[in-house]
Amino acid sequence: MKENQAKGLACQIMDLSEQAMIVIRKNDYSVVYANAKARAIFGEDIASITCYRMVEGEDTPCKACPFQMNEMNAEQIVERYLRSFDQTVQIKVTPLVWEDGEDTLVYTILDSDELLLAKMNLEARAQSYEEQLRLSGELYQTVVSQLRTMVFEYNVEQNTFYISPLFQEKFGITEIHNVDFLLDEQAKNLIYEPDQDIYQMLFADREDDFREVTCRLRMKNGQLVWYRICIQYIRNDEGKTVRVIGTLKDVDEATRSYETLRYRSEYDTLTNIPNVNRFYVDAGRMIEEDETRHFAIISFDIDKFKLINDLFGMNTGDEVLKHIADVLRMKAPESSMYCRVHSDMFLLCVSYNRRGDLIRLVEKLRKAIYKNEFSFDVNTTYGIYLVTDITIPINLMCDRATLAARTVKGNAMNFCAFYDEQYRTEILKNTEIEQDMNAAISGKQFLMYLQPKYNLVTGKICGAEVLSRWKHPVKGLIQPNDFIPLFERNGFILRLDEYMWEEACRTLARWRDEGRDPVPLSVNISRYHIQHNDLVGAWKHLIKKYNIPTSYLTLEITETFFYDSKDLYDVLEQLQAMGFRLEVDDFGAGYSSLNMIRQIPVDTIKIDKDFLDKKLATDKGKIVISHTIAMAKDLKLDVVAEGVETKEHVDFLKSSSCDIAQGFFFAKPMPVDEFEKIYFEEDI
Ligand code: C2E
Ligand code: MG
Ligand code: MG
């Protein structure tokens, strides 16, 4: 009873499979069981037949039986050429102890549908024409019911049609009546409109008897599904078509994943315009292929895009980008190429006759982008590179256009610049720096300078900022402004910062070991770390390595941090919990407000030197600064002023209750040994 149940269950499970499955006894190759699909392919009669008889119609085991049955102990997939089908199939072979205790192997023929169709076609072709007609009816009823692939047949001479039941299930079609059914309205309505052209290729005037296309069909429930449609025309001896056999195979999953991958690799998913990879290929080809025309690359971005994101939210920022994509779709010249590179940066490649054409185009784009429904201004800045040497790589041409755009920034009267050879000097300079930077770390060419911070009440040093200097073997001492912005672009800032932080920790540990009372040091943290580095992990490691308290260290982060980092809050909170003091550097230089800072875990704001400089010049400006200081104090934040250069600055800051000042009035950044002299001697 138990055995019967077990057998029944195994067989039932096999019958549910859409693949052909055969169970073969290991010692004598006899077929123990074949599921319905296998019987449809290999024939109904399985009793006491051997696998070689069943599959190949042979009387003895196949020569060099590829299954090596004695060694088959684990599941594996083998390839097997089936001579009688003239087809190679993949077979999964699984060892199984049958209920009578005998060792068996279960053969699962992967993609059995292909085999079944091969069989149908073979049989149809093998028969005489009359025989085909007789057979077709029976064959399809039995065989087709086993297929997940849909089949239809049109018998030309008899003018009869057959369609498999799946047509009703999927498309609601129960019968076809018309010789031209593939071209009639019913069939056409099934094809997704944009794929009609592909579908028509099935009927293109061609010699071959077999045709296939892959297109999207509309299901009964409205869903669009990718199908591979194959049509086989069977002709009689005179070459006249006597039957048309077609199959429709669901290839949705495979096609979709391929399409999505391709789309993702070539299009920007937010704006649905090409991405930079696609642009490089298309624009590069366009420039290369037509030497008779002049081409230009235009690069542009949005002024203060970060501010838009910051004040109106990322979703609004996204809408602005989509608006720009729409403008490009409508206004870019017909033969041009365009793309979104990243963030708010876009590129165009256009042909032109005169420079004036380009300026007019830029004005047209700028106006169309400006004209929108947003409650704020969307201004754009453009850089143009005229292609003179087509052997220059396309990405370099684009970099040059972008470089030109950068020279416009900050100049309110202008919104467009042409690339000038002088920028190349800058690029070359940067390339030189990039070539030297790795050696500079290992050669200890980066020096730690310290600039003291003064307590305005006591007049004493209460901290120092760590600032880097590059002692280049040929170029001499290089200031941070000449390398930090470049390092922030190429990512090298991660290594430099970690090097400087380690120098700071080493110095603090040394002071402590020498019995001196360490002065807290502030280090700069580039915003690159938040996106690309494990900031918390790096600091845990340093603190442990040098065994120094976190209270010795202040971490300076620039306010531009606050625009674009979702992870920022978490990271800052963890650092604060570890005991570091957090200071907002360059406050007032960008767009952050105290309101924004209230939501971020920080302890101190450091007022930017330009802010101090500009505001102190007018009475109104003075009020803004003193109110900023007062409000920061209300929020329990300490205030540091940097760029304090004059006595007047100091007096004003004192009267506004600013706590700490840093600037040339007190001291410039200096080498560590000099700092030690003024700090530790001052202490004595
Ligand atoms: P920062 O962090 O705002 O540093 C203050 C800058 O102001 C320093 O410029 C300092 O020399 C300068 N400064 C100080 N007092 C005065 C003054 O009274 N008047 C004027 N006009 N300037 C003053 P420095 O050393 O050239 O550094 C420039 C910027 O480079 C720094 O600005 C900081 O953002 C960045 N930086 C420097 N070293 C590093 C580093 O190791 N890592 C990172 N991530 N950034 C660094
Ligand atoms: Mg700083
Ligand atoms: Mg600063």
Side-chain angles (χ1 to χ4, degrees):
M1 181 64 194
K2 213 172 157 197
E3 283 177 4
N4 281 341
Q5 267 178 357
K7 182 181 175 187
L9 194 61
C11 298
Q12 275 172 36
I13 291 171
M14 282 192 261
D15 276 341
L16 283 177
S17 169
E18 283 176 13
Q19 308 290 19
M21 297 178 83
I22 312 166
V23 185
I24 294 164
R25 203 184 302 279
K26 258 178 127 176
N27 60 5
D28 62 2
Y29 298 74
S30 62
V31 175
V32 180
Y33 188 73
N35 72 355
K37 189 72 159 261
R39 294 198 300 274
I41 298 174
F42 301 110
E44 279 298 324
D45 183 18
I46 57 148
S48 66
I49 213 170
T50 58
C51 59
Y52 42 87
R53 178 97 213 120
M54 175 177 170
V55 174
E56 295 285 27
E58 293 286 343
D59 292 331
T60 51
C62 309
K63 273 185 201 141
C65 168
F67 300 139
Q68 302 163 339
M69 297 178 74
N70 292 331
E71 284 136 48
M72 191 77 75
N73 292 320
E75 182 172 288
Q76 51 184 293
I77 292 179
V78 295
E79 258 188 9
R80 173 86 162 89
Y81 172 69
L82 300 186
R83 192 170 46 82
S84 55
F85 290 84
D86 187 25
Q87 187 136 340
T88 301
V89 288
Q90 287 200 321
I91 304 179
K92 187 168 78 182
V93 187
T94 318
L96 179 78
V97 178
W98 199 246
E99 82 277 358
D100 55 8
E102 290 274 355
D103 281 345
T104 65
L105 293 172
V106 183
Y107 294 3
T108 307
I109 300 181
L110 305 176
D111 224 348
S112 303
D113 275 2
E114 306 278 315
L115 205 55
L116 200 45
L117 289 169
K119 175 195 162 108
M120 281 163 56
N121 279 335
L122 277 174
E123 286 189 4
R125 274 185 230 167
Q127 307 300 334
S128 69
Y129 173 49
E130 287 71 25
E131 190 65 359
Q132 279 182 27
L133 292 184
R134 192 183 65 72
L135 270 176
S136 62
E138 307 157 28
L139 187 69
Y140 287 119
Q141 312 306 327
T142 50
V143 163
V144 161
S145 60
Q146 297 297 326
L147 284 171
R148 287 311 291 169
T149 302
M150 285 182 250
V151 180
F152 59 79
E153 188 215 4
Y154 169 49
N155 188 317
V156 180
E157 298 239 317
Q158 292 185 342
N159 196 24
T160 53
F161 301 92
Y162 172 78
I163 56 171
S164 58
L166 275 177
F167 271 90
Q168 180 171 14
E169 187 187 306
K170 302 274 185 193
F171 304 116
I173 295 179
T174 47
E175 48 190 9
I176 44 181
H177 310 283
N178 191 328
V179 187
D180 294 325
F181 64 98
L182 289 168
L183 288 164
D184 71 9
E185 280 307 302
Q186 177 171 256
K188 269 191 179 162
N189 287 342
L190 290 182
I191 315 293
Y192 179 47
E193 188 60 39
D195 294 353
Q196 290 283 359
D197 287 350
I198 302 176
Y199 177 68
Q200 290 301 327
M201 281 159 63
L202 276 179
F203 315 104
D205 200 11
R206 295 187 328 206
E207 288 296 299
D208 33 346
D209 290 342
F210 181 81
R211 298 168 184 198
E212 69 177 331
V213 295
T214 303
C215 60
R216 278 160 292 185
L217 301 186
R218 192 169 277 108
M219 304 288 102
K220 204 160 62 170
N221 60 9
Q223 190 195 351
L224 290 170
V225 177
W226 285 97
Y227 269 89
R228 185 162 75 231
I229 308 178
C230 304
I231 295 189
Q232 171 90 49
Y233 294 86
I234 296 177
R235 304 183 202 273
N236 65 11
D237 300 339
E238 286 100 55
K240 187 167 163 277
T241 303
V242 288
R243 287 167 66 200
V244 182
I245 300 174
T247 57
L248 279 80
K249 188 173 181 188
D250 181 337
V251 290
D252 197 62
E253 211 173 304
T255 312
R256 263 181 212 285
S257 48
Y258 172 73
E259 286 292 310
T260 322
L261 276 181
R262 209 188 63 170
Y263 191 83
R264 285 221 190 109
S265 68
E266 294 185 355
Y267 283 85
D268 170 47
T269 42
L270 175 73
T271 59
N272 286 324
I273 63 174
N275 66 16
V276 70
N277 301 334
R278 174 78 189 255
F279 178 84
Y280 282 165
V281 173
D282 290 351
R285 195 178 295 147
M286 180 161 93
I287 293 171
E288 233 172 61
E289 283 177 359
D290 193 346
E291 284 182 38
T292 59
R293 289 194 288 168
H294 295 303
F295 288 99
I297 305 280
I298 303 176
S299 165
F300 71 93
D301 67 357
I302 307 170
D303 302 349
K304 304 192 180 113
F305 182 60
K306 285 194 168 65
L307 181 61
I308 295 176
N309 270 332
D310 194 25
L311 296 181
F312 303 98
M314 295 288 272
N315 288 345
T316 310
D318 285 353
E319 289 308 313
V320 174
L321 297 172
K322 287 191 209 158
H323 163 64
I324 293 186
D326 286 341
V327 168
L328 285 172
R329 280 190 199 98
M330 278 154 49
K331 306 274 176 185
E334 211 155 81
S335 62
S336 65
M337 312 267 171
Y338 50 81
C339 75
R340 173 175 173 228
V341 183
H342 54 71
S343 180
D344 59 330
M345 186 175 158
F346 294 83
L347 287 170
L348 278 122
C349 177
V350 292
S351 70
Y352 71 100
N353 291 322
R354 292 151 207 258
R355 274 173 162 237
D357 300 346
L358 295 168
I359 295 172
R360 272 188 294 281
L361 170 64
V362 162
E363 274 170 352
K364 184 164 91 174
L365 293 173
R366 193 176 142 87
K367 267 191 199 144
I369 291 169
Y370 186 81
K371 213 172 131 209
N372 57 49
E373 298 185 342
F374 302 109
S375 59
F376 45 85
D377 286 352
V378 181
N379 285 315
T380 36
T381 304
Y382 299 76
I384 305 177
Y385 172 72
L386 305 177
V387 179
T388 45
D389 176 1
I390 64 164
T391 61
I392 293 177
I394 178 83
N395 57 329
L396 207 63
M397 297 181 183
C398 297
D399 285 352
R400 291 183 177 184
T402 308
L403 198 71
R406 249 184 246 144
T407 63
V408 183
K409 287 271 176 231
N411 182 352
M413 300 301 290
N414 208 350
F415 58 85
C416 174
F418 283 86
Y419 172 81
D420 192 301
E421 273 302 302
Q422 88 182 41
Y423 306 143
R424 247 172 69 119
T425 333
E426 191 176 330
I427 295 182
L428 284 178
K429 204 174 99 193
N430 286 349
T431 318
E432 274 175 27
I433 291 185
E434 287 188 322
Q435 275 165 1
D436 294 345
M437 64 192 185
N438 287 304
I441 290 250
S442 47
K444 297 199 184 312
Q445 293 171 17
F446 289 107
L447 306 179
M448 177 167 95
Y449 270 43
L450 293 175
Q451 185 178 32
K453 291 179 176 179
Y454 285 81
N455 181 317
L456 282 174
V457 179
T458 62
K460 296 207 166 197
I461 295 175
C462 60
E465 175 169 8
V466 173
L467 293 160
S468 53
R469 296 290 180 268
W470 182 352
K471 200 173 164 203
H472 193 280
V474 182
K475 298 185 176 120
L477 201 65
I478 311 178
Q479 299 297 318
N481 287 341
D482 287 334
F483 56 85
I484 299 277
L486 176 66
F487 289 178
E488 283 184 331
R489 285 204 297 278
N490 67 21
F492 191 72
I493 194 71
L494 297 179
R495 287 193 60 198
L496 174 66
D497 272 1
E498 286 183 4
Y499 179 82
M500 296 307 291
W501 304 342
E502 179 139 16
E503 283 297 292
C505 293
R506 201 200 315 274
T507 307
L508 286 166
R510 181 169 58 80
W511 285 340
R512 183 209 41 215
D513 296 345
E514 289 169 359
R516 295 163 150 177
D517 195 12
V519 61
L521 295 181
S522 328
V523 293
N524 289 289
I525 310 267
S526 162
R527 65 163 155 173
Y528 207 80
H529 290 276
I530 300 282
Q531 291 139 0
H532 300 278
N533 207 11
D534 175 13
L535 194 54
V536 175
W539 275 108
K540 272 192 184 147
H541 167 76
L542 281 175
I543 289 300
K544 202 165 155 211
K545 182 168 174 192
Y546 291 96
N547 189 25
I548 47 172
T550 46
S551 58
Y552 283 2
L553 285 148
T554 298
L555 310 184
E556 291 192 12
I557 47 177
T558 49
E559 61 163 18
T560 45
F561 261 103
F562 304 143
Y563 300 137
D564 53 5
S565 179
K566 282 190 225 97
D567 308 328
L568 176 72
Y569 188 91
D570 277 357
V571 174
L572 294 188
E573 215 172 34
Q574 285 182 59
L575 291 169
Q576 208 180 35
M578 283 165 71
F580 292 105
R581 288 191 64 79
L582 302 180
E583 186 169 300
V584 181
D585 202 354
D586 302 343
F587 182 83
Y591 309 99
S592 58
S593 59
L594 278 169
N595 193 36
M596 261 163 65
I597 283 176
R598 205 164 47 118
Q599 295 155 14
I600 308 241
V602 291
D603 308 287
T604 311
I605 59 164
K606 190 189 227 184
I607 298 180
D608 187 60
K609 49 185 176 299
D610 284 350
F611 190 69
L612 195 69
D613 223 27
K614 282 185 200 131
K615 300 275 182 224
L616 270 189
T618 64
D619 286 345
K620 266 195 194 156
K622 284 185 182 134
I623 296 172
V624 172
I625 297 193
S626 51
H627 276 258
T628 304
I629 295 172
M631 276 158 60
K633 298 208 131 188
D634 277 351
L635 294 170
K636 306 269 177 300
L637 297 170
D638 288 340
V639 182
V640 180
E642 73 177 347
V644 179
E645 291 185 344
T646 61
K647 174 94 176 41
E648 188 208 347
H649 286 169
V650 177
D651 291 343
F652 172 76
L653 291 168
K654 275 188 181 166
S655 69
S656 305
S657 308
C658 175
D659 317 291
I660 299 164
Q662 172 185 349
F664 295 168
F665 177 77
F666 297 101
K668 290 198 169 177
M670 60 191 83
V672 178
D673 53 351
E674 269 180 46
F675 175 82
E676 286 174 347
K677 269 186 214 134
I678 64 160
Y679 178 63
F680 295 112
E681 280 168 22
E682 181 202 51
D683 255 9
I684 292 164

